[in-house]
Coordinates of all heavy atoms in Angstrom, one line a residue:
M251 N 15.3 -114.2 -38.5 CA 13.8 -114.4 -38.4 C 13.2 -113.2 -37.8 O 13.9 -112.4 -37.2 CB 13.5 -115.6 -37.5 CG 14.1 -116.9 -38.1 SD 13.4 -118.5 -37.7 CE 11.8 -118.4 -37.3
T252 N 12.0 -113.0 -38.2 CA 11.2 -111.8 -37.7 C 9.8 -112.3 -37.3 O 9.3 -113.3 -37.8 CB 11.2 -110.7 -38.6 OG1 10.6 -109.5 -38.0 CG2 10.4 -111.0 -39.9
E253 N 9.2 -111.5 -36.4 CA 7.8 -111.8 -36.1 C 6.9 -111.3 -37.2 O 7.0 -110.1 -37.7 CB 7.4 -111.2 -34.7 CG 6.0 -111.5 -34.2 CD 6.0 -112.9 -33.8 OE1 6.9 -113.4 -33.3 OE2 4.9 -113.5 -33.9
G254 N 6.0 -112.1 -37.7 CA 5.0 -111.7 -38.8 C 3.6 -111.8 -38.2 O 3.4 -112.1 -37.0
E255 N 2.6 -111.6 -39.1 CA 1.2 -111.6 -38.6 C 0.8 -113.0 -38.1 O 0.0 -113.1 -37.2 CB 0.3 -111.2 -39.8 CG 0.5 -109.8 -40.2 CD -0.4 -109.5 -41.4 OE1 -1.2 -110.3 -41.9 OE2 -0.2 -108.4 -41.9
R256 N 1.4 -114.0 -38.6 CA 1.0 -115.3 -38.2 C 2.2 -116.1 -37.5 O 2.3 -117.3 -37.6 CB 0.6 -116.2 -39.5 CG -0.6 -115.6 -40.1 CD -1.0 -116.4 -41.4 NE -0.2 -115.9 -42.4 CZ -0.2 -116.4 -43.6 NH1 -1.0 -117.3 -44.0 NH2 0.6 -115.8 -44.6
G257 N 3.0 -115.4 -36.8 CA 4.1 -116.0 -36.2 C 5.4 -115.6 -36.8 O 5.6 -114.7 -37.6
L258 N 6.5 -116.4 -36.4 CA 7.8 -116.2 -36.9 C 7.9 -116.5 -38.4 O 7.3 -117.4 -38.9 CB 8.8 -117.1 -36.2 CG 9.1 -116.8 -34.7 CD1 10.0 -117.8 -34.1 CD2 9.6 -115.4 -34.5
K259 N 8.8 -115.7 -39.1 CA 8.9 -116.0 -40.6 C 10.4 -115.6 -40.9 O 11.0 -114.8 -40.2 CB 7.9 -115.2 -41.5 CG 8.1 -113.7 -41.4 CD 7.1 -113.0 -42.3 CE 7.3 -111.5 -42.4 NZ 6.4 -110.9 -43.3
A260 N 10.9 -116.2 -41.9 CA 12.2 -116.0 -42.4 C 12.3 -114.8 -43.3 O 11.3 -114.5 -44.0 CB 12.7 -117.3 -43.1
F261 N 13.4 -114.1 -43.3 CA 13.6 -113.0 -44.3 C 15.1 -112.9 -44.7 O 15.9 -113.7 -43.9 CB 13.2 -111.7 -43.7 CG 14.0 -111.1 -42.7 CD1 15.0 -110.1 -42.9 CD2 13.8 -111.5 -41.4 CE1 15.8 -109.7 -41.9 CE2 14.6 -111.0 -40.3 CZ 15.7 -110.1 -40.6
A262 N 15.4 -112.3 -45.7 CA 16.8 -112.2 -46.3 C 17.3 -113.6 -46.5 O 18.4 -114.0 -46.1 CB 17.6 -111.4 -45.4
V263 N 16.5 -114.5 -47.2 CA 16.8 -115.8 -47.5 C 17.5 -116.0 -48.8 O 17.1 -115.3 -49.8 CB 15.6 -116.7 -47.5 CG1 15.9 -118.1 -47.8 CG2 14.9 -116.6 -46.1
R264 N 18.6 -116.8 -49.0 CA 19.2 -117.1 -50.2 C 19.3 -118.7 -50.3 O 19.4 -119.4 -49.4 CB 20.6 -116.5 -50.2 CG 20.6 -115.1 -50.3 CD 22.1 -114.5 -50.5 NE 22.6 -114.6 -49.1 CZ 24.0 -115.0 -48.9 NH1 24.7 -115.2 -50.0 NH2 24.4 -115.0 -47.7
V265 N 19.2 -119.1 -51.6 CA 19.3 -120.6 -51.9 C 20.9 -120.8 -51.9 O 21.6 -120.1 -52.7 CB 18.7 -120.9 -53.2 CG1 18.9 -122.4 -53.5 CG2 17.2 -120.6 -53.1
V266 N 21.3 -121.8 -51.2 CA 22.7 -122.2 -51.2 C 22.9 -123.6 -51.7 O 22.2 -124.5 -51.3 CB 23.3 -122.1 -49.8 CG1 24.8 -122.5 -49.7 CG2 23.1 -120.6 -49.2
G267 N 23.7 -123.8 -52.8 CA 23.9 -125.1 -53.2 C 22.8 -125.7 -54.1 O 22.7 -126.8 -54.3
G268 N 21.9 -124.9 -54.5 CA 20.8 -125.3 -55.4 C 21.2 -125.5 -56.8 O 22.4 -125.1 -57.2
P269 N 20.3 -125.9 -57.7 CA 20.7 -126.1 -59.1 C 21.1 -124.7 -59.7 O 20.5 -123.7 -59.3 CB 19.4 -126.6 -59.7 CG 18.4 -126.5 -58.8 CD 19.0 -126.3 -57.4
Q270 N 22.0 -124.8 -60.6 CA 22.5 -123.5 -61.3 C 21.7 -123.3 -62.5 O 21.6 -124.3 -63.3 CB 24.0 -123.6 -61.6 CG 24.8 -123.9 -60.3 CD 24.7 -122.7 -59.3 OE1 24.8 -121.6 -59.7 NE2 24.5 -123.0 -58.0
H271 N 21.2 -122.1 -62.8 CA 20.5 -121.8 -64.0 C 21.2 -120.7 -64.7 O 21.5 -119.6 -64.0 CB 19.0 -121.4 -63.6 CG 18.2 -122.5 -63.1 ND1 17.8 -123.6 -63.8 CD2 17.8 -122.6 -61.7 CE1 17.1 -124.4 -63.0 NE2 17.1 -123.9 -61.8
A272 N 21.5 -120.8 -66.0 CA 22.1 -119.8 -66.7 C 21.0 -118.9 -67.3 O 20.0 -119.5 -67.8 CB 23.0 -120.3 -67.7
G273 N 21.2 -117.7 -67.4 CA 20.3 -116.7 -68.1 C 20.3 -116.9 -69.6 O 21.1 -117.7 -70.1
A274 N 19.6 -116.1 -70.3 CA 19.5 -116.2 -71.8 C 20.9 -115.9 -72.4 O 21.2 -116.4 -73.4 CB 18.5 -115.3 -72.3
N275 N 21.7 -115.1 -71.7 CA 23.0 -114.7 -72.2 C 24.1 -115.7 -71.9 O 25.2 -115.5 -72.1 CB 23.4 -113.3 -71.7 CG 23.5 -113.2 -70.3 OD1 23.3 -114.1 -69.5 ND2 23.6 -112.0 -69.8
G276 N 23.7 -116.8 -71.1 CA 24.6 -117.8 -70.7 C 25.3 -117.6 -69.5 O 26.1 -118.4 -69.0
H277 N 25.0 -116.4 -68.8 CA 25.7 -116.1 -67.6 C 24.7 -116.6 -66.4 O 23.6 -116.6 -66.5 CB 25.9 -114.6 -67.4 CG 26.9 -114.0 -68.4 ND1 26.5 -113.5 -69.6 CD2 28.3 -114.0 -68.3 CE1 27.6 -113.2 -70.2 NE2 28.6 -113.4 -69.5
Q278 N 25.5 -116.9 -65.3 CA 24.7 -117.3 -64.1 C 23.9 -116.2 -63.6 O 24.4 -115.0 -63.4 CB 25.7 -117.8 -63.0 CG 25.1 -118.0 -61.7 CD 24.2 -119.2 -61.8 OE1 24.4 -120.1 -62.6 NE2 23.2 -119.2 -61.0
A279 N 22.6 -116.5 -63.3 CA 21.7 -115.4 -62.8 C 22.1 -115.2 -61.2 O 22.2 -116.2 -60.5 CB 20.3 -115.8 -62.9
P280 N 22.4 -114.0 -60.8 CA 22.8 -113.8 -59.4 C 21.6 -114.2 -58.5 O 20.5 -113.9 -58.8 CB 23.2 -112.4 -59.3 CG 22.5 -111.7 -60.4 CD 22.3 -112.7 -61.5
S281 N 21.9 -114.8 -57.4 CA 20.9 -115.1 -56.4 C 20.6 -113.8 -55.7 O 21.5 -112.9 -55.5 CB 21.3 -116.2 -55.5 OG 22.4 -115.8 -54.7
R282 N 19.4 -113.5 -55.4 CA 19.1 -112.2 -54.6 C 18.4 -112.6 -53.3 O 17.5 -113.5 -53.3 CB 18.2 -111.4 -55.5 CG 16.8 -111.9 -55.7 CD 16.0 -110.9 -56.5 NE 14.6 -111.4 -56.6 CZ 13.6 -111.4 -55.9 NH1 13.7 -110.8 -54.7 NH2 12.4 -111.8 -56.1
P283 N 18.7 -111.9 -52.3 CA 18.1 -112.2 -51.0 C 16.6 -111.8 -51.1 O 16.2 -110.8 -51.7 CB 18.8 -111.5 -50.0 CG 19.7 -110.4 -50.7 CD 19.7 -110.9 -52.2
L284 N 15.8 -112.6 -50.4 CA 14.3 -112.2 -50.4 C 14.1 -111.4 -49.1 O 14.5 -111.9 -48.0 CB 13.5 -113.4 -50.4 CG 13.6 -114.3 -51.7 CD1 12.7 -115.6 -51.5 CD2 13.2 -113.5 -52.9
G285 N 13.5 -110.3 -49.2 CA 13.4 -109.4 -48.0 C 12.0 -109.7 -47.4 O 11.2 -110.5 -47.9
P286 N 11.7 -109.0 -46.2 CA 10.5 -109.3 -45.5 C 9.2 -108.9 -46.2 O 8.2 -109.5 -46.0 CB 10.7 -108.5 -44.2 CG 11.7 -107.5 -44.5 CD 12.6 -108.1 -45.6
D287 N 9.3 -108.0 -47.2 CA 8.1 -107.7 -48.0 C 8.1 -108.4 -49.3 O 7.2 -108.1 -50.1 CB 8.2 -106.2 -48.2 CG 8.1 -105.3 -47.0 OD1 7.4 -105.8 -46.0 OD2 8.7 -104.2 -46.9
D288 N 8.9 -109.4 -49.5 CA 8.9 -110.1 -50.8 C 7.9 -111.2 -50.7 O 8.1 -112.2 -50.0 CB 10.2 -110.7 -51.2 CG 10.3 -111.1 -52.6 OD1 9.3 -111.6 -53.1 OD2 11.5 -111.1 -53.1
D289 N 6.7 -111.1 -51.4 CA 5.7 -112.2 -51.4 C 5.8 -112.9 -52.7 O 4.8 -113.4 -53.2 CB 4.3 -111.5 -51.2 CG 4.2 -110.9 -49.8 OD1 4.8 -111.5 -48.9 OD2 3.4 -109.9 -49.7
T290 N 6.9 -113.1 -53.3 CA 7.0 -113.8 -54.6 C 6.6 -115.3 -54.4 O 7.1 -116.0 -53.7 CB 8.5 -113.7 -55.1 OG1 8.8 -112.4 -55.2 CG2 8.5 -114.4 -56.4
L291 N 5.6 -115.6 -55.2 CA 5.2 -117.1 -55.3 C 5.0 -117.4 -56.7 O 4.9 -116.6 -57.6 CB 3.8 -117.1 -54.6 CG 3.7 -116.9 -53.1 CD1 2.3 -117.0 -52.6 CD2 4.5 -117.8 -52.3
C292 N 5.1 -118.7 -57.0 CA 5.0 -119.2 -58.3 C 4.0 -120.3 -58.4 O 4.2 -121.3 -57.6 CB 6.4 -119.6 -58.9 SG 6.3 -120.2 -60.6
D293 N 3.0 -120.4 -59.2 CA 2.2 -121.4 -59.4 C 2.9 -122.5 -60.2 O 3.7 -122.3 -61.0 CB 0.9 -121.1 -60.3 CG -0.1 -120.2 -59.5 OD1 -0.1 -120.3 -58.3 OD2 -0.8 -119.5 -60.2
V294 N 2.8 -123.8 -59.8 CA 3.3 -124.9 -60.4 C 2.1 -125.5 -61.2 O 1.1 -126.0 -60.6 CB 3.9 -125.9 -59.5 CG1 4.4 -127.1 -60.3 CG2 5.1 -125.3 -58.7
L295 N 2.2 -125.6 -62.5 CA 1.1 -126.0 -63.3 C 1.4 -127.4 -63.9 O 2.5 -127.8 -64.1 CB 0.9 -125.0 -64.5 CG 0.6 -123.6 -64.2 CD1 0.6 -122.8 -65.5 CD2 -0.7 -123.4 -63.4
S296 N 0.3 -128.1 -64.4 CA 0.6 -129.3 -65.1 C 1.0 -128.9 -66.5 O 0.8 -127.7 -66.9 CB -0.7 -130.1 -65.2 OG -1.7 -129.5 -66.1
R297 N 1.7 -129.8 -67.1 CA 2.2 -129.4 -68.5 C 1.0 -129.0 -69.4 O 1.1 -128.1 -70.2 CB 2.9 -130.5 -69.2 CG 3.6 -130.3 -70.5 CD 4.2 -131.5 -71.2 NE 5.0 -131.1 -72.3 CZ 4.6 -130.7 -73.4 NH1 3.2 -130.7 -73.6 NH2 5.3 -130.5 -74.4
E298 N -0.1 -129.7 -69.3 CA -1.3 -129.4 -70.1 C -1.9 -128.0 -69.8 O -2.2 -127.3 -70.7 CB -2.4 -130.5 -69.9 CG -2.0 -131.9 -70.4 CD -1.0 -132.6 -69.5 OE1 -0.9 -132.4 -68.3 OE2 -0.2 -133.4 -70.0
E299 N -2.0 -127.7 -68.5 CA -2.4 -126.4 -68.2 C -1.5 -125.3 -68.8 O -2.0 -124.3 -69.3 CB -2.5 -126.2 -66.7 CG -3.6 -127.0 -66.0 CD -3.5 -127.0 -64.5 OE1 -2.4 -127.0 -63.9 OE2 -4.5 -126.9 -63.8
Y300 N -0.2 -125.5 -68.6 CA 0.7 -124.5 -69.1 C 0.6 -124.3 -70.6 O 0.6 -123.2 -71.1 CB 2.2 -124.9 -68.6 CG 3.2 -123.8 -69.1 CD1 3.4 -122.7 -68.4 CD2 4.0 -124.1 -70.2 CE1 4.3 -121.7 -68.8 CE2 5.0 -123.2 -70.6 CZ 5.1 -122.1 -69.9 OH 6.1 -121.1 -70.2
V301 N 0.6 -125.5 -71.3 CA 0.6 -125.4 -72.7 C -0.7 -124.7 -73.2 O -0.6 -123.9 -74.1 CB 0.6 -126.9 -73.3 CG1 0.2 -126.9 -74.8 CG2 2.0 -127.5 -73.2
Q302 N -1.9 -124.9 -72.5 CA -3.1 -124.3 -73.0 C -3.0 -122.8 -72.7 O -3.3 -122.0 -73.6 CB -4.3 -124.8 -72.2 CG -5.6 -124.2 -72.6 CD -6.8 -124.8 -71.8 OE1 -6.6 -125.8 -71.0 NE2 -7.9 -124.3 -72.0
E303 N -2.4 -122.4 -71.6 CA -2.4 -121.0 -71.3 C -1.4 -120.3 -72.2 O -1.6 -119.1 -72.7 CB -2.0 -120.7 -69.8 CG -2.0 -119.3 -69.5 CD -2.2 -119.1 -67.9 OE1 -2.6 -120.1 -67.2 OE2 -1.9 -118.0 -67.5
V304 N -0.2 -120.9 -72.5 CA 0.7 -120.3 -73.4 C 0.2 -120.2 -74.8 O 0.3 -119.2 -75.5 CB 2.0 -121.2 -73.4 CG1 2.9 -120.8 -74.6 CG2 2.8 -120.9 -72.1
T305 N -0.5 -121.3 -75.3 CA -1.1 -121.3 -76.6 C -2.1 -120.1 -76.7 O -2.1 -119.3 -77.7 CB -1.8 -122.6 -77.0 OG1 -0.8 -123.6 -76.8 CG2 -2.3 -122.6 -78.3
E306 N -3.0 -120.0 -75.8 CA -4.0 -118.9 -75.8 C -3.4 -117.5 -75.8 O -3.8 -116.6 -76.5 CB -5.0 -119.0 -74.6 CG -5.9 -120.2 -74.7 CD -6.7 -120.2 -75.9 OE1 -7.2 -119.2 -76.3 OE2 -7.0 -121.4 -76.4
S307 N -2.2 -117.3 -75.0 CA -1.6 -116.2 -74.9 C -0.9 -115.8 -76.3 O -0.9 -114.7 -76.7 CB -0.5 -116.2 -73.8 OG 0.2 -114.9 -73.8
I308 N -0.2 -116.8 -76.9 CA 0.3 -116.6 -78.3 C -0.7 -116.2 -79.3 O -0.5 -115.2 -80.1 CB 1.1 -117.8 -78.7 CG1 2.3 -118.1 -77.8 CG2 1.6 -117.7 -80.1 CD1 3.0 -119.4 -78.0
L309 N -1.8 -116.9 -79.3 CA -2.9 -116.6 -80.3 C -3.4 -115.2 -80.1 O -3.7 -114.5 -81.1 CB -4.0 -117.6 -80.2 CG -3.7 -119.0 -80.7 CD1 -4.9 -120.0 -80.2 CD2 -3.5 -119.0 -82.1
A310 N -3.6 -114.8 -78.8 CA -4.1 -113.4 -78.6 C -3.1 -112.3 -78.9 O -3.4 -111.3 -79.4 CB -4.5 -113.2 -77.1
G311 N -1.8 -112.6 -78.6 CA -0.8 -111.6 -78.8 C -0.2 -111.6 -80.2 O 0.3 -110.6 -80.7
A312 N -0.2 -112.6 -80.9 CA 0.4 -112.7 -82.3 C -0.5 -113.7 -83.2 O -0.1 -114.7 -83.6 CB 1.7 -113.2 -82.2
P313 N -1.7 -113.1 -83.5 CA -2.7 -114.0 -84.2 C -2.3 -114.3 -85.7 O -2.9 -115.3 -86.2 CB -4.0 -113.1 -84.2 CG -3.5 -111.8 -84.1 CD -2.3 -111.8 -83.2
T314 N -1.3 -113.7 -86.2 CA -0.9 -114.0 -87.5 C 0.2 -115.0 -87.7 O 0.6 -115.5 -88.8 CB -0.3 -112.6 -88.2 OG1 0.8 -112.2 -87.5 CG2 -1.4 -111.6 -88.3
L315 N 0.7 -115.6 -86.6 CA 1.6 -116.7 -86.6 C 1.0 -117.9 -87.1 O -0.2 -118.1 -87.0 CB 2.1 -117.0 -85.2 CG 3.1 -116.0 -84.5 CD1 3.4 -116.5 -83.1 CD2 4.4 -115.7 -85.4
T316 N 1.8 -118.7 -87.9 CA 1.3 -120.0 -88.4 C 1.2 -121.1 -87.3 O 1.9 -120.9 -86.2 CB 2.2 -120.5 -89.6 OG1 3.4 -120.8 -89.0 CG2 2.4 -119.4 -90.6
G317 N 0.6 -122.1 -87.6 CA 0.4 -123.1 -86.6 C 1.9 -123.7 -86.3 O 2.2 -124.0 -85.1
T318 N 2.7 -123.8 -87.2 CA 4.0 -124.3 -87.1 C 4.8 -123.4 -86.1 O 5.6 -123.8 -85.3 CB 4.8 -124.5 -88.4 OG1 4.0 -125.5 -89.2 CG2 6.2 -125.0 -88.3
Q319 N 4.6 -122.1 -86.4 CA 5.4 -121.1 -85.6 C 4.9 -121.2 -84.1 O 5.7 -121.0 -83.2 CB 5.2 -119.7 -86.2 CG 5.9 -119.5 -87.5 CD 5.5 -118.2 -88.2 OE1 4.4 -117.9 -88.1 NE2 6.5 -117.6 -88.8
I320 N 3.6 -121.3 -83.9 CA 3.0 -121.4 -82.7 C 3.6 -122.5 -81.9 O 4.0 -122.4 -80.7 CB 1.5 -121.3 -82.7 CG1 1.0 -119.9 -83.2 CG2 0.9 -121.8 -81.3 CD1 -0.5 -120.1 -83.4
V321 N 3.6 -123.7 -82.5 CA 4.2 -124.9 -81.8 C 5.6 -124.7 -81.5 O 6.1 -125.2 -80.4 CB 3.9 -126.1 -82.8 CG1 4.7 -127.3 -82.3 CG2 2.5 -126.4 -82.9
A322 N 6.4 -124.1 -82.3 CA 7.8 -123.9 -82.1 C 8.0 -123.0 -80.9 O 8.8 -123.3 -80.0 CB 8.5 -123.3 -83.3
V323 N 7.2 -121.8 -80.9 CA 7.4 -121.0 -79.7 C 6.9 -121.6 -78.5 O 7.6 -121.5 -77.4 CB 6.6 -119.6 -80.0 CG1 6.5 -118.7 -78.8 CG2 7.1 -118.9 -81.2
R324 N 5.8 -122.3 -78.5 CA 5.3 -123.0 -77.3 C 6.2 -124.0 -76.8 O 6.4 -124.0 -75.6 CB 3.9 -123.6 -77.7 CG 3.2 -124.2 -76.5 CD 1.9 -124.8 -77.0 NE 2.1 -126.0 -77.9 CZ 1.2 -126.5 -78.6 NH1 0.0 -126.0 -78.6 NH2 1.4 -127.6 -79.4
D325 N 6.8 -124.8 -77.7 CA 7.8 -125.9 -77.3 C 8.9 -125.2 -76.6 O 9.5 -125.7 -75.5 CB 8.3 -126.7 -78.4 CG 7.1 -127.7 -78.9 OD1 6.1 -127.8 -78.2 OD2 7.3 -128.2 -80.0
S326 N 9.4 -124.1 -77.1 CA 10.5 -123.4 -76.5 C 10.2 -122.9 -75.1 O 11.0 -123.0 -74.1 CB 11.0 -122.2 -77.3 OG 12.0 -121.5 -76.8
L327 N 9.0 -122.3 -74.9 CA 8.6 -121.9 -73.6 C 8.3 -123.0 -72.6 O 8.6 -122.8 -71.4 CB 7.2 -121.1 -73.8 CG 7.4 -119.7 -74.5 CD1 6.1 -119.1 -74.8 CD2 8.3 -118.8 -73.7
V328 N 7.9 -124.2 -73.1 CA 7.7 -125.3 -72.2 C 9.0 -125.8 -71.7 O 9.2 -126.1 -70.5 CB 7.0 -126.5 -72.9 CG1 7.1 -127.7 -72.2 CG2 5.5 -126.2 -73.2
K329 N 10.1 -125.7 -72.6 CA 11.5 -126.1 -72.1 C 11.9 -125.2 -71.0 O 12.5 -125.6 -70.0 CB 12.4 -126.2 -73.3 CG 12.2 -127.4 -74.2 CD 13.1 -127.2 -75.4 CE 12.8 -128.3 -76.4 NZ 13.6 -128.2 -77.7
I330 N 11.7 -124.0 -71.2 CA 12.1 -122.9 -70.1 C 11.4 -123.2 -68.9 O 12.1 -123.2 -67.8 CB 11.9 -121.5 -70.7 CG1 12.8 -121.2 -71.8 CG2 12.0 -120.5 -69.5 CD1 12.5 -119.9 -72.6
A331 N 10.0 -123.4 -68.9 CA 9.4 -123.6 -67.8 C 9.7 -124.9 -67.0 O 9.8 -124.9 -65.8 CB 7.8 -123.7 -68.1
H332 N 10.0 -125.9 -67.7 CA 10.4 -127.2 -67.1 C 11.8 -127.0 -66.5 O 12.0 -127.4 -65.3 CB 10.5 -128.2 -68.2 CG 10.9 -129.6 -67.6 ND1 10.1 -130.4 -66.8 CD2 12.0 -130.3 -67.8 CE1 10.8 -131.4 -66.4 NE2 12.0 -131.4 -66.9
R333 N 12.7 -126.3 -67.1 CA 14.0 -126.0 -66.6 C 13.9 -125.3 -65.3 O 14.8 -125.4 -64.4 CB 14.8 -125.3 -67.6 CG 16.4 -125.2 -67.2 CD 17.2 -124.7 -68.4 NE 16.8 -123.5 -68.9 CZ 16.5 -123.3 -70.2 NH1 16.6 -124.1 -71.1 NH2 16.1 -122.0 -70.6
H334 N 13.0 -124.4 -65.1 CA 12.8 -123.5 -64.0 C 12.0 -124.2 -62.9 O 11.8 -123.6 -61.8 CB 12.3 -122.1 -64.3 CG 13.3 -121.2 -64.9 ND1 14.2 -120.6 -64.3 CD2 13.4 -120.9 -66.2 CE1 15.0 -119.9 -65.1 NE2 14.5 -120.0 -66.3
G335 N 11.5 -125.3 -63.2 CA 10.6 -126.0 -62.2 C 9.2 -125.4 -62.1 O 8.6 -125.6 -61.0
W336 N 8.7 -124.8 -63.1 CA 7.4 -124.3 -63.0 C 6.3 -125.2 -63.4 O 5.1 -124.9 -63.3 CB 7.3 -123.0 -64.0 CG 8.2 -121.9 -63.7 CD1 8.8 -121.6 -62.5 CD2 8.7 -121.0 -64.7 NE1 9.6 -120.5 -62.7 CE2 9.6 -120.1 -64.0 CE3 8.4 -120.7 -66.0 CZ2 10.2 -119.0 -64.5 CZ3 9.1 -119.6 -66.6 CH2 9.9 -118.8 -65.9
L337 N 6.7 -126.5 -63.9 CA 5.7 -127.4 -64.3 C 5.8 -128.7 -63.3 O 6.9 -129.0 -62.9 CB 6.0 -127.9 -65.7 CG 6.0 -126.8 -66.8 CD1 6.3 -127.5 -68.1 CD2 4.7 -126.1 -66.9
E338 N 4.7 -129.3 -63.1 CA 4.7 -130.6 -62.4 C 5.3 -131.6 -63.2 O 5.3 -131.6 -64.4 CB 3.2 -131.0 -62.1 CG 2.4 -130.0 -61.2 CD 1.0 -130.5 -61.0 OE1 0.5 -131.4 -61.9 OE2 0.3 -129.9 -60.2
D339 N 6.0 -132.6 -62.5 CA 6.7 -133.7 -63.3 C 5.6 -134.7 -63.7 O 4.7 -134.9 -63.1 CB 7.7 -134.2 -62.5 CG 8.9 -133.3 -62.4 OD1 9.2 -132.6 -63.3 OD2 9.7 -133.3 -61.4

């Protein structure tokens, strides 16, 4: 622990015994300690908010995709987001 602007805070934290997630190559992603300057946060979105944002991003980035292709890419991204806990249940 160290003293922060708003009191004590933890640093060099690692998740122990948490769910295991394999990376795209099938290998376990190594856990990394979070240091005192790591302000990593992640918004947890509703499925509907995530789907809307992903769809808009796909349309902007790859406007020539067909509707079927967009749905396939979007569904794949939703599965990844759910697996990582980025979506509300």
